[in-house]
Coordinates of all heavy atoms in Angstrom, one line a residue:
A1 N -49.3 62.1 16.2 CA -48.4 62.3 15.1 C -47.0 62.7 15.6 O -46.0 62.3 15.0 CB -48.9 63.4 14.2
T2 N -46.9 63.5 16.6 CA -45.6 63.9 17.2 C -44.9 62.7 17.7 O -43.7 62.7 17.6 CB -45.8 64.9 18.3 OG1 -47.0 65.7 18.1 CG2 -44.6 65.8 18.4
V3 N -45.6 61.8 18.4 CA -44.9 60.6 19.0 C -44.3 59.8 17.9 O -43.2 59.3 17.9 CB -45.9 59.8 19.9 CG1 -45.3 58.5 20.3 CG2 -46.4 60.7 21.0
R4 N -45.1 59.6 16.8 CA -44.7 58.8 15.7 C -43.5 59.5 15.0 O -42.5 58.8 14.7 CB -45.8 58.7 14.6 CG -46.4 57.3 14.7 CD -47.2 57.1 13.4 NE -48.6 57.2 13.7 CZ -49.6 57.4 12.8 NH1 -49.3 57.3 11.6 NH2 -50.8 57.5 13.2
S5 N -43.5 60.7 14.8 CA -42.4 61.4 14.1 C -41.1 61.4 15.0 O -40.0 61.2 14.5 CB -42.7 62.8 13.7 OG -42.9 63.6 14.9
R6 N -41.3 61.5 16.4 CA -40.2 61.4 17.3 C -39.6 60.0 17.2 O -38.4 59.8 17.2 CB -40.6 61.8 18.7 CG -39.4 62.0 19.6 CD -39.8 62.5 20.9 NE -41.1 61.9 21.4 CZ -41.6 62.0 22.6 NH1 -41.0 62.7 23.5 NH2 -42.7 61.4 22.9
R7 N -40.5 59.0 17.2 CA -40.0 57.6 17.2 C -39.3 57.3 15.9 O -38.3 56.7 15.9 CB -41.2 56.7 17.4 CG -40.8 55.2 17.5 CD -41.9 54.3 17.8 NE -42.6 54.5 19.0 CZ -43.8 54.2 19.3 NH1 -44.6 53.7 18.4 NH2 -44.3 54.5 20.5
A8 N -39.8 57.9 14.8 CA -39.2 57.7 13.5 C -37.8 58.4 13.5 O -36.9 57.8 12.9 CB -40.1 58.2 12.4
R9 N -37.8 59.6 14.1 CA -36.5 60.3 14.1 C -35.5 59.5 15.0 O -34.3 59.4 14.6 CB -36.7 61.7 14.7 CG -35.5 62.5 14.5 CD -35.7 63.9 15.0 NE -36.5 63.8 16.2 CZ -37.1 64.8 16.8 NH1 -36.9 66.0 16.4 NH2 -37.8 64.7 17.9
E10 N -35.9 58.9 16.1 CA -35.0 58.1 17.0 C -34.5 56.9 16.2 O -33.4 56.5 16.3 CB -35.8 57.8 18.2 CG -35.9 58.9 19.2 CD -36.8 58.5 20.4 OE1 -37.4 57.4 20.4 OE2 -36.9 59.3 21.3
E11 N -35.5 56.3 15.5 CA -35.0 55.1 14.7 C -34.0 55.5 13.6 O -33.1 54.7 13.4 CB -36.3 54.4 14.1 CG -37.1 53.7 15.1 CD -38.4 53.0 14.5 OE1 -38.4 52.9 13.3 OE2 -39.2 52.7 15.3
L12 N -34.3 56.6 13.0 CA -33.3 57.1 12.0 C -32.0 57.4 12.6 O -30.9 57.0 12.1 CB -33.8 58.3 11.3 CG -34.9 58.1 10.2 CD1 -35.4 59.4 9.7 CD2 -34.3 57.3 9.0
E13 N -32.0 58.0 13.8 CA -30.7 58.3 14.5 C -30.0 57.0 14.9 O -28.8 56.9 14.7 CB -31.0 59.2 15.7 CG -31.3 60.6 15.3 CD -31.7 61.4 16.6 OE1 -31.7 60.9 17.7 OE2 -32.0 62.6 16.4
L14 N -30.8 56.1 15.3 CA -30.2 54.8 15.7 C -29.6 54.1 14.5 O -28.5 53.5 14.5 CB -31.2 53.9 16.4 CG -30.8 52.6 17.0 CD1 -29.7 52.8 18.0 CD2 -31.9 51.8 17.6
S15 N -30.3 54.1 13.4 CA -29.8 53.5 12.1 C -28.5 54.3 11.7 O -27.6 53.6 11.2 CB -30.9 53.6 11.0 OG -31.9 52.8 11.3
A16 N -28.5 55.6 11.8 CA -27.4 56.4 11.4 C -26.2 56.0 12.3 O -25.0 55.8 11.8 CB -27.6 57.8 11.5
T17 N -26.4 55.8 13.6 CA -25.3 55.4 14.5 C -24.8 54.1 14.2 O -23.6 53.9 14.1 CB -25.8 55.5 16.0 OG1 -26.3 56.8 16.3 CG2 -24.7 55.1 16.9
R18 N -25.7 53.1 13.9 CA -25.3 51.8 13.5 C -24.5 51.8 12.2 O -23.4 51.2 12.0 CB -26.5 50.9 13.3 CG -27.1 50.4 14.6 CD -28.2 49.4 14.3 NE -28.9 49.2 15.6 CZ -30.2 49.1 15.6 NH1 -31.0 49.2 14.6 NH2 -30.8 48.9 16.8
A19 N -24.9 52.7 11.2 CA -24.3 52.8 9.9 C -22.9 53.4 10.1 O -21.9 52.9 9.5 CB -25.1 53.6 9.0
K20 N -22.7 54.3 11.0 CA -21.4 54.9 11.3 C -20.5 53.9 11.9 O -19.3 53.8 11.5 CB -21.5 56.1 12.2 CG -22.1 57.4 11.5 CD -22.2 58.5 12.5 CE -22.8 59.7 11.9 NZ -23.1 60.8 12.9
A21 N -21.0 53.1 12.8 CA -20.2 52.0 13.5 C -19.8 51.0 12.4 O -18.6 50.6 12.4 CB -21.0 51.4 14.6
E22 N -20.7 50.6 11.6 CA -20.4 49.7 10.5 C -19.3 50.2 9.6 O -18.4 49.5 9.1 CB -21.6 49.3 9.7 CG -22.5 48.3 10.4 CD -23.7 47.9 9.6 OE1 -23.6 47.8 8.3 OE2 -24.8 47.7 10.2
C23 N -19.4 51.5 9.3 CA -18.5 52.2 8.4 C -17.1 52.2 9.0 O -16.1 51.9 8.3 CB -18.9 53.6 8.2 SG -18.0 54.5 6.9
V24 N -17.0 52.5 10.3 CA -15.7 52.4 11.0 C -15.1 51.0 10.9 O -14.0 50.8 10.7 CB -15.8 52.9 12.5 CG1 -14.6 52.6 13.3 CG2 -16.1 54.4 12.5
D25 N -16.0 50.0 11.2 CA -15.6 48.6 11.1 C -15.1 48.2 9.7 O -14.0 47.6 9.6 CB -16.7 47.6 11.5 CG -17.1 47.7 13.0 OD1 -16.2 48.2 13.8 OD2 -18.1 47.2 13.4
L26 N -15.8 48.7 8.7 CA -15.4 48.4 7.3 C -14.1 49.0 7.0 O -13.3 48.5 6.3 CB -16.5 48.8 6.4 CG -17.8 47.9 6.4 CD1 -18.9 48.5 5.5 CD2 -17.4 46.5 5.9
R27 N -13.9 50.3 7.4 CA -12.6 50.9 7.2 C -11.5 50.2 7.8 O -10.4 50.0 7.2 CB -12.7 52.4 7.8 CG -13.4 53.3 6.9 CD -13.2 54.8 7.3 NE -14.0 55.7 6.5 CZ -14.8 56.6 6.9 NH1 -15.0 56.7 8.2 NH2 -15.5 57.3 6.1
S28 N -11.7 49.7 9.0 CA -10.7 48.9 9.7 C -10.4 47.6 8.9 O -9.2 47.2 8.7 CB -11.2 48.5 11.1 OG -10.2 47.7 11.7
V29 N -11.4 46.9 8.5 CA -11.2 45.7 7.7 C -10.5 46.0 6.4 O -9.6 45.3 6.0 CB -12.6 45.0 7.4 CG1 -12.5 43.9 6.4 CG2 -13.2 44.4 8.7
C30 N -10.9 47.1 5.7 CA -10.2 47.5 4.5 C -8.8 47.8 4.7 O -7.9 47.4 3.9 CB -10.9 48.8 3.9 SG -12.5 48.4 3.1
E31 N -8.4 48.5 5.8 CA -7.0 48.7 6.1 C -6.3 47.5 6.4 O -5.1 47.3 5.9 CB -7.0 49.6 7.4 CG -5.6 50.0 7.8 CD -4.8 50.9 6.8 OE1 -5.4 51.5 5.9 OE2 -3.6 50.9 6.8
Q32 N -6.9 46.5 7.1 CA -6.2 45.2 7.3 C -6.0 44.5 6.0 O -4.9 43.9 5.8 CB -7.0 44.4 8.3 CG -7.1 44.9 9.7 CD -8.1 44.1 10.6 OE1 -8.8 43.3 10.1 NE2 -8.1 44.5 11.9
L33 N -7.0 44.5 5.2 CA -6.9 43.8 3.9 C -5.8 44.5 3.0 O -5.0 43.8 2.3 CB -8.2 43.8 3.1 CG -9.3 42.9 3.7 CD1 -10.6 43.1 3.0 CD2 -8.8 41.4 3.6
R34 N -5.7 45.8 3.0 CA -4.7 46.6 2.3 C -3.3 46.2 2.7 O -2.4 45.9 1.9 CB -4.9 48.1 2.4 CG -4.0 48.9 1.5 CD -4.1 50.4 1.8 NE -3.7 50.7 3.2 CZ -2.4 50.7 3.6 NH1 -1.4 50.4 2.8 NH2 -2.2 51.0 4.9
E35 N -3.1 46.1 4.1 CA -1.8 45.7 4.6 C -1.5 44.3 4.3 O -0.3 44.0 3.9 CB -1.8 45.9 6.1 CG -1.8 47.4 6.6 CD -2.0 47.6 8.1 OE1 -2.2 46.5 8.8 OE2 -2.1 48.7 8.5
A36 N -2.5 43.4 4.3 CA -2.2 42.0 4.0 C -1.9 41.9 2.5 O -1.0 41.2 2.1 CB -3.5 41.2 4.3
L37 N -2.5 42.7 1.6 CA -2.2 42.7 0.2 C -0.8 43.2 -0.1 O -0.1 42.6 -0.8 CB -3.3 43.5 -0.5 CG -3.0 43.7 -2.1 CD1 -3.1 42.3 -2.8 CD2 -4.1 44.6 -2.7
E38 N -0.4 44.3 0.6 CA 0.9 44.8 0.4 C 1.9 43.7 0.8 O 2.9 43.6 0.2 CB 1.1 46.1 1.3 CG 0.4 47.3 0.6 CD 0.5 48.5 1.5 OE1 1.1 48.4 2.7 OE2 0.0 49.6 1.1
G39 N 1.7 43.1 2.0 CA 2.6 42.0 2.4 C 2.7 40.9 1.4 O 3.8 40.4 1.1
S40 N 1.5 40.5 0.9 CA 1.5 39.4 -0.1 C 2.2 39.8 -1.4 O 3.0 39.0 -1.9 CB 0.0 39.1 -0.4 OG 0.0 38.1 -1.4
Q41 N 2.1 41.1 -1.8 CA 2.7 41.5 -3.0 C 4.3 41.6 -2.8 O 5.0 41.2 -3.7 CB 2.2 42.9 -3.4 CG 0.8 42.9 -4.0 CD 0.2 44.3 -4.2 OE1 0.6 45.2 -3.5 NE2 -0.7 44.4 -5.1
A42 N 4.7 42.0 -1.6 CA 6.1 42.0 -1.3 C 6.7 40.6 -1.3 O 7.8 40.3 -1.8 CB 6.4 42.6 0.1
K43 N 5.9 39.6 -0.7 CA 6.4 38.2 -0.7 C 6.5 37.7 -2.2 O 7.3 37.0 -2.5 CB 5.4 37.4 0.1 CG 5.6 37.6 1.6 CD 4.6 36.7 2.4 CE 4.7 37.0 3.9 NZ 3.7 36.2 4.6
E44 N 5.5 38.1 -3.0 CA 5.5 37.7 -4.4 C 6.7 38.2 -5.1 O 7.3 37.5 -5.9 CB 4.2 38.2 -5.1 CG 4.1 37.7 -6.5 CD 2.8 38.3 -7.2 OE1 2.1 39.1 -6.6 OE2 2.6 37.9 -8.3
K45 N 7.1 39.5 -4.9 CA 8.3 40.0 -5.5 C 9.5 39.3 -5.1 O 10.4 39.0 -5.9 CB 8.4 41.5 -5.2 CG 7.5 42.4 -6.0 CD 7.7 43.9 -5.6 CE 6.7 44.8 -6.3 NZ 6.9 46.2 -5.9
T46 N 9.6 39.0 -3.8 CA 10.7 38.3 -3.2 C 10.8 36.9 -3.9 O 11.9 36.4 -4.3 CB 10.6 38.1 -1.7 OG1 10.6 39.4 -1.1 CG2 11.8 37.4 -1.1
A47 N 9.7 36.2 -4.0 CA 9.6 34.9 -4.6 C 10.0 34.9 -6.1 O 10.8 34.1 -6.5 CB 8.2 34.3 -4.4
A48 N 9.6 36.0 -6.8 CA 9.9 36.1 -8.2 C 11.4 36.3 -8.3 O 12.1 35.8 -9.2 CB 9.2 37.3 -8.8
A49 N 12.0 37.1 -7.4 CA 13.5 37.4 -7.5 C 14.2 36.1 -7.2 O 15.2 35.8 -7.8 CB 13.9 38.5 -6.5
D50 N 13.7 35.3 -6.2 CA 14.3 34.0 -5.8 C 14.3 33.1 -7.0 O 15.3 32.4 -7.3 CB 13.6 33.4 -4.6 CG 14.0 34.1 -3.3 OD1 15.0 34.8 -3.3 OD2 13.3 33.8 -2.3
I51 N 13.1 33.0 -7.7 CA 13.0 32.1 -8.9 C 14.0 32.5 -10.0 O 14.6 31.7 -10.6 CB 11.5 32.2 -9.4 CG1 10.6 31.4 -8.4 CG2 11.4 31.6 -10.8 CD1 9.1 31.6 -8.7
E52 N 14.1 33.8 -10.2 CA 15.0 34.3 -11.2 C 16.5 33.9 -10.9 O 17.2 33.5 -11.7 CB 14.9 35.9 -11.3 CG 15.4 36.4 -12.6 CD 14.7 35.9 -13.8 OE1 13.5 35.7 -13.8 OE2 15.4 35.7 -14.8
R53 N 16.8 34.1 -9.6 CA 18.1 33.7 -9.1 C 18.4 32.2 -9.3 O 19.5 31.8 -9.8 CB 18.3 34.1 -7.7 CG 19.7 33.8 -7.1 CD 19.7 34.2 -5.6 NE 18.7 33.6 -4.8 CZ 18.6 32.4 -4.4 NH1 19.6 31.5 -4.7 NH2 17.6 31.9 -3.6
L54 N 17.4 31.4 -9.0 CA 17.5 30.0 -9.1 C 17.6 29.6 -10.5 O 18.4 28.6 -10.9 CB 16.3 29.3 -8.4 CG 16.3 29.3 -6.9 CD1 15.0 28.8 -6.3 CD2 17.5 28.6 -6.3
H55 N 16.9 30.3 -11.4 CA 17.1 30.0 -12.9 C 18.5 30.2 -13.3 O 19.1 29.4 -14.1 CB 16.1 30.8 -13.7 CG 14.7 30.3 -13.8 ND1 14.4 29.0 -14.3 CD2 13.5 30.8 -13.4 CE1 13.1 28.8 -14.2 NE2 12.6 29.9 -13.7
G56 N 19.1 31.3 -12.8 CA 20.5 31.7 -13.2 C 21.4 30.6 -12.6 O 22.3 30.2 -13.4
E57 N 21.2 30.2 -11.4 CA 22.1 29.1 -10.8 C 21.9 27.8 -11.6 O 22.9 27.1 -11.8 CB 21.7 28.9 -9.4 CG 22.2 30.0 -8.5 CD 21.9 29.7 -7.0 OE1 21.7 28.6 -6.6 OE2 21.9 30.7 -6.2
C58 N 20.7 27.5 -12.0 CA 20.4 26.3 -12.8 C 21.2 26.3 -14.1 O 21.8 25.4 -14.5 CB 18.9 26.2 -13.0 SG 18.4 24.5 -13.5
D59 N 21.2 27.5 -14.8 CA 21.9 27.7 -16.1 C 23.4 27.5 -15.8 O 24.1 26.8 -16.6 CB 21.6 29.0 -16.7 CG 20.2 29.2 -17.2 OD1 19.5 28.1 -17.4 OD2 19.7 30.3 -17.4
K60 N 23.9 28.1 -14.7 CA 25.3 27.9 -14.4 C 25.7 26.4 -14.2 O 26.7 25.9 -14.6 CB 25.7 28.7 -13.2 CG 25.8 30.2 -13.4 CD 26.2 30.9 -12.1 CE 26.1 32.4 -12.2 NZ 26.3 33.0 -10.9
N61 N 24.8 25.7 -13.5 CA 25.0 24.3 -13.2 C 25.0 23.5 -14.5 O 25.8 22.6 -14.6 CB 24.0 23.8 -12.2 CG 24.3 24.3 -10.8 OD1 25.4 24.7 -10.4 ND2 23.3 24.3 -9.9
K62 N 24.1 23.8 -15.4 CA 24.1 23.1 -16.7 C 25.4 23.3 -17.4 O 25.9 22.4 -18.0 CB 22.9 23.6 -17.5 CG 21.5 23.1 -17.0 CD 20.4 23.6 -17.9 CE 19.1 23.2 -17.3 NZ 18.0 23.9 -18.1
D63 N 25.8 24.6 -17.4 CA 27.1 24.9 -18.1 C 28.3 24.1 -17.5 O 29.1 23.6 -18.2 CB 27.4 26.4 -18.0 CG 26.4 27.2 -18.9 OD1 25.7 26.6 -19.8 OD2 26.4 28.5 -18.7
L64 N 28.3 24.1 -16.1 CA 29.3 23.4 -15.4 C 29.3 21.9 -15.7 O 30.3 21.2 -15.9 CB 29.2 23.6 -13.9 CG 29.7 25.0 -13.4 CD1 29.4 25.1 -12.0 CD2 31.1 25.2 -13.7
A65 N 28.1 21.3 -15.9 CA 27.9 19.9 -16.2 C 28.5 19.6 -17.5 O 29.2 18.6 -17.7 CB 26.4 19.5 -16.1
V66 N 28.2 20.5 -18.5 CA 28.8 20.3 -19.9 C 30.3 20.4 -19.8 O 31.0 19.6 -20.4 CB 28.2 21.3 -20.8 CG1 28.9 21.4 -22.2 CG2 26.7 21.1 -21.0
K67 N 30.8 21.4 -19.1 CA 32.2 21.6 -19.0 C 32.9 20.3 -18.3 O 33.9 19.9 -18.7 CB 32.5 22.8 -18.2 CG 33.9 23.3 -18.3 CD 34.0 24.7 -17.6 CE 35.2 25.5 -18.1 NZ 35.2 26.8 -17.5
N68 N 32.2 19.8 -17.3 CA 32.7 18.7 -16.6 C 32.8 17.5 -17.5 O 33.7 16.7 -17.5 CB 31.8 18.4 -15.4 CG 32.4 17.5 -14.3 OD1 33.6 17.3 -14.4 ND2 31.7 17.1 -13.3
K69 N 31.7 17.3 -18.3 CA 31.7 16.2 -19.2 C 32.8 16.3 -20.2 O 33.5 15.3 -20.6 CB 30.3 16.2 -20.0 CG 29.8 14.8 -20.3 CD 28.4 15.0 -20.8 CE 27.7 13.6 -20.7 NZ 26.3 13.7 -21.2
T70 N 33.1 17.5 -20.7 CA 34.2 17.7 -21.7 C 35.5 17.4 -21.0 O 36.3 16.7 -21.6 CB 34.1 19.2 -22.2 OG1 32.9 19.5 -22.8 CG2 35.2 19.5 -23.1
L71 N 35.7 17.9 -19.8 CA 36.9 17.6 -19.1 C 37.1 16.1 -18.8 O 38.2 15.6 -19.0 CB 37.0 18.4 -17.8 CG 37.2 19.9 -18.0 CD1 37.0 20.6 -16.6 CD2 38.5 20.3 -18.6
Q72 N 36.1 15.5 -18.5 CA 36.1 14.0 -18.3 C 36.5 13.3 -19.5 O 37.4 12.4 -19.5 CB 34.7 13.5 -17.8 CG 34.7 12.1 -17.3 CD 35.5 11.9 -16.0 OE1 35.5 12.8 -15.1 NE2 36.3 10.8 -15.9
S73 N 36.0 13.7 -20.7 CA 36.3 13.1 -21.9 C 37.8 13.4 -22.3 O 38.5 12.5 -22.7 CB 35.4 13.7 -23.0 OG 35.8 13.2 -24.3
E74 N 38.3 14.6 -22.0 CA 39.7 14.9 -22.3 C 40.6 14.1 -21.4 O 41.7 13.7 -21.8 CB 39.9 16.4 -22.1 CG 39.3 17.3 -23.2 CD 39.4 18.8 -22.9 OE1 40.0 19.1 -21.8 OE2 38.9 19.5 -23.7
L75 N 40.2 13.9 -20.1 CA 41.0 13.1 -19.2 C 41.1 11.7 -19.7 O 42.2 11.1 -19.6 CB 40.3 13.2 -17.8 CG 41.0 12.3 -16.7 CD1 42.4 12.8 -16.5 CD2 40.2 12.4 -15.4
E76 N 40.0 11.1 -20.1 CA 40.0 9.7 -20.6 C 40.9 9.6 -21.8 O 41.7 8.7 -22.0 CB 38.6 9.3 -21.0 CG 37.7 9.0 -19.7 CD 38.3 8.0 -18.8 OE1 38.8 7.0 -19.2 OE2 38.2 8.3 -17.5
T77 N 40.8 10.6 -22.7 CA 41.7 10.6 -23.9 C 43.2 10.7 -23.5 O 44.0 9.9 -24.0 CB 41.4 11.8 -24.8 OG1 40.0 11.7 -25.2 CG2 42.3 11.8 -26.0
A78 N 43.5 11.5 -22.5 CA 44.9 11.6 -22.0 C 45.3 10.3 -21.4 O 46.5 9.9 -21.6 CB 45.0 12.8 -21.0
R79 N 44.4 9.7 -20.6 CA 44.8 8.4 -20.0 C 45.1 7.4 -21.1 O 46.1 6.6 -20.9 CB 43.7 7.9 -19.1 CG 43.6 8.7 -17.8 CD 42.5 8.2 -16.9 NE 42.5 8.9 -15.6 CZ 41.5 8.9 -14.8 NH1 40.3 8.3 -15.1 NH2 41.6 9.6 -13.7
R80 N 44.3 7.3 -22.1 CA 44.6 6.3 -23.2 C 45.9 6.6 -23.9 O 46.7 5.7 -24.2 CB 43.4 6.3 -24.2 CG 42.2 5.6 -23.7 CD 41.1 5.4 -24.8 NE 40.7 6.6 -25.5 CZ 39.7 7.4 -25.1 NH1 39.0 7.0 -24.0 NH2 39.3 8.5 -25.7
Q81 N 46.2 7.9 -24.1 CA 47.4 8.3 -24.7 C 48.6 7.9 -23.8 O 49.6 7.4 -24.3 CB 47.5 9.8 -25.0 CG 46.6 10.2 -26.2 CD 46.6 11.7 -26.4 OE1 46.9 12.5 -25.5 NE2 46.1 12.1 -27.6
L82 N 48.5 8.1 -22.6 CA 49.5 7.8 -21.6 C 49.7 6.3 -21.6 O 50.9 5.8 -21.6 CB 49.1 8.3 -20.2 CG 50.1 7.9 -19.1 CD1 51.5 8.5 -19.3 CD2 49.5 8.3 -17.7
A83 N 48.7 5.5 -21.6 CA 48.8 4.0 -21.6 C 49.5 3.6 -22.9 O 50.4 2.7 -22.8 CB 47.4 3.4 -21.5
R84 N 49.2 4.2 -24.1 CA 49.8 3.9 -25.3 C 51.3 4.2 -25.2 O 52.2 3.4 -25.6 CB 49.2 4.6 -26.5 CG 48.1 3.8 -27.2 CD 47.8 4.4 -28.6 NE 47.5 5.9 -28.6 CZ 46.3 6.4 -28.4 NH1 45.3 5.6 -28.2 NH2 46.2 7.7 -28.4
L85 N 51.6 5.4 -24.7 CA 53.1 5.8 -24.6 C 53.8 4.9 -23.7 O 55.0 4.5 -23.9 CB 53.2 7.2 -24.1 CG 52.8 8.3 -25.2 CD1 52.8 9.7 -24.5 CD2 53.7 8.3 -26.4
E86 N 53.2 4.5 -22.6 CA 53.9 3.6 -21.6 C 54.1 2.3 -22.3 O 55.2 1.7 -22.1 CB 53.0 3.5 -20.3 CG 53.1 4.7 -19.4 CD 52.2 4.6 -18.2 OE1 51.3 3.8 -18.2 OE2 52.4 5.3 -17.3
A87 N 53.1 1.8 -23.0 CA 53.3 0.5 -23.7 C 54.4 0.6 -24.8 O 55.3 -0.3 -24.9 CB 52.0 0.1 -24.4
Q88 N 54.5 1.7 -25.5 CA 55.6 1.9 -26.5 C 56.9 1.9 -25.8 O 57.9 1.3 -26.3 CB 55.3 3.2 -27.3 CG 54.2 3.1 -28.3 CD 53.9 4.4 -29.0 OE1 54.5 5.4 -28.6 NE2 53.0 4.4 -29.9
N89 N 57.0 2.7 -24.7 CA 58.2 2.8 -23.9 C 58.7 1.4 -23.4 O 59.9 1.1 -23.5 CB 58.1 3.7 -22.7 CG 58.2 5.2 -23.2 OD1 58.6 5.4 -24.3 ND2 57.8 6.1 -22.3
E90 N 57.7 0.6 -23.0 CA 58.0 -0.7 -22.5 C 58.5 -1.6 -23.6 O 59.5 -2.3 -23.5 CB 56.8 -1.3 -21.9 CG 57.0 -2.3 -20.8 CD 55.7 -2.8 -20.1 OE1 55.2 -2.0 -19.3 OE2 55.3 -3.9 -20.4
M91 N 57.9 -1.5 -24.8 CA 58.3 -2.3 -25.9 C 59.7 -1.8 -26.4 O 60.6 -2.6 -26.7 CB 57.4 -2.1 -27.1 CG 56.1 -2.9 -26.9 SD 54.9 -2.6 -28.2 CE 55.7 -3.4 -29.6
S92 N 60.0 -0.5 -26.4 CA 61.3 0.0 -26.7 C 62.4 -0.4 -25.8 O 63.5 -0.8 -26.2 CB 61.3 1.6 -26.8 OG 60.5 2.0 -27.8
A93 N 62.0 -0.4 -24.5 CA 63.0 -0.8 -23.5 C 63.3 -2.3 -23.6 O 64.4 -2.8 -23.5 CB 62.5 -0.5 -22.1
S94 N 62.3 -3.1 -23.9 CA 62.5 -4.6 -24.0 C 63.3 -4.9 -25.3 O 64.1 -5.7 -25.3 CB 61.2 -5.3 -23.9 OG 60.7 -5.7 -25.1
H95 N 63.0 -4.1 -26.4 CA 63.7 -4.3 -27.6 C 65.2 -3.9 -27.4 O 66.0 -4.6 -27.9 CB 63.0 -3.4 -28.7 CG 63.6 -3.7 -30.1 ND1 63.4 -4.9 -30.7 CD2 64.3 -2.8 -30.9 CE1 64.0 -4.7 -31.9 NE2 64.5 -3.5 -32.0
S96 N 65.4 -2.8 -26.7 CA 66.8 -2.4 -26.5 C 67.5 -3.4 -25.7 O 68.7 -3.7 -26.0 CB 66.8 -1.1 -25.7 OG 66.3 0.0 -26.5
S97 N 66.9 -4.0 -24.7 CA 67.6 -5.0 -23.9 C 67.9 -6.2 -24.7 O 68.9 -6.9 -24.5 CB 66.9 -5.3 -22.5 OG 65.6 -5.6 -22.8
E98 N 66.9 -6.6 -25.6 CA 67.2 -7.7 -26.5 C 68.4 -7.5 -27.4 O 69.2 -8.4 -27.6 CB 65.9 -8.0 -27.3 CG 64.8 -8.6 -26.5 CD 63.5 -8.8 -27.4 OE1 63.6 -8.6 -28.6 OE2 62.5 -9.2 -26.8
L99 N 68.4 -6.2 -27.9 CA 69.5 -5.9 -28.8 C 70.9 -5.9 -28.0 O 71.9 -6.4 -28.5 CB 69.3 -4.5 -29.4 CG 68.3 -4.4 -30.5 CD1 68.1 -3.0 -31.0 CD2 68.7 -5.2 -31.7
G100 N 70.8 -5.4 -26.8 CA 72.0 -5.4 -26.0 C 72.5 -6.8 -25.7 O 73.7 -7.1 -25.7
A101 N 71.5 -7.7 -25.4 CA 71.9 -9.1 -25.1 C 72.4 -9.8 -26.3 O 73.4 -10.6 -26.3 CB 70.6 -9.8 -24.6
A102 N 71.9 -9.4 -27.5 CA 72.4 -10.1 -28.8 C 73.8 -9.6 -29.1 O 74.6 -10.3 -29.6 CB 71.4 -9.7 -29.9
E103 N 74.1 -8.3 -28.8 CA 75.4 -7.8 -29.1 C 76.4 -8.4 -28.1 O 77.6 -8.5 -28.5 CB 75.4 -6.3 -29.0 CG 74.6 -5.6 -30.1 CD 74.6 -4.1 -29.9 OE1 75.1 -3.6 -29.0 OE2 73.9 -3.4 -30.8
A104 N 76.0 -8.7 -27.0 CA 77.0 -9.2 -26.0 C 77.3 -10.6 -26.3 O 78.0 -11.3 -26.8 CB 76.4 -9.1 -24.6

C-alpha cells in the first residue's frame, strides 16, 4: 500500500510539474497573442486614419474637377467672345477702309 501511495504521489507531482510548465507556456503564448493583437489594433487605427484622409483628398479632388470644368467652360465662352469681337473689328476695319476709298 505504501509503494502504491508513493507511486501515486510521484505521479501527481509529475502531473503538477507538467501542468505548471504548460501554464508557463500558455502564459507566454497569451502574452505573444496580446502583443500581436495590440500591434494589429494599432495598424487598424492607422489604416482607418489613412482611409479617412484619402476620403478627404478624394472630396477635394472632386471639388477641383468641378471647378476645373467650370473654368474650362468660362474659358471657352471667353474664346468665343474674343473671336466674335475680332471678327467685328475686322469687319469695322474693312468697312472703314471701304469708306475711306470711296471718299477719296
Side-chain angles (χ1 to χ4, degrees):
T2 327
V3 172
R4 252 197 260 166
S5 66
R6 191 173 40 169
R7 189 177 294 154
R9 190 178 40 192
E10 287 173 354
E11 286 178 17
L12 281 174
E13 287 174 1
L14 186 59
S15 289
T17 302
R18 285 184 190 138
K20 285 179 184 177
E22 283 182 36
C23 189
V24 168
D25 290 345
L26 288 174
R27 280 190 183 128
S28 174
V29 168
C30 283
E31 181 64 22
Q32 290 171 358
L33 288 172
R34 186 189 61 75
E35 289 172 1
L37 177 62
E38 286 174 358
S40 178
Q41 288 171 334
K43 287 178 184 176
E44 183 181 5
K45 283 182 183 178
T46 301
D50 287 345
I51 288 170
E52 199 61 37
R53 180 182 53 78
L54 290 172
H55 279 300
E57 286 181 22
C58 197
D59 290 342
K60 285 180 189 175
N61 286 339
K62 285 178 186 175
D63 291 344
L64 287 174
V66 169
K67 195 174 205 175
N68 199 10
K69 213 172 201 178
T70 301
L71 290 172
Q72 189 68 39
S73 176
E74 290 173 2
L75 177 61
E76 289 303 317
T77 301
R79 284 181 177 159
R80 284 192 301 274
Q81 288 175 340
L82 177 61
R84 265 196 310 271
L85 288 173
E86 286 175 341
Q88 286 174 355
N89 282 343
E90 209 174 284
M91 287 176 66
S92 292
S94 103
H95 187 65
S96 290
S97 54
E98 287 175 7
L99 284 177
E103 288 176 0

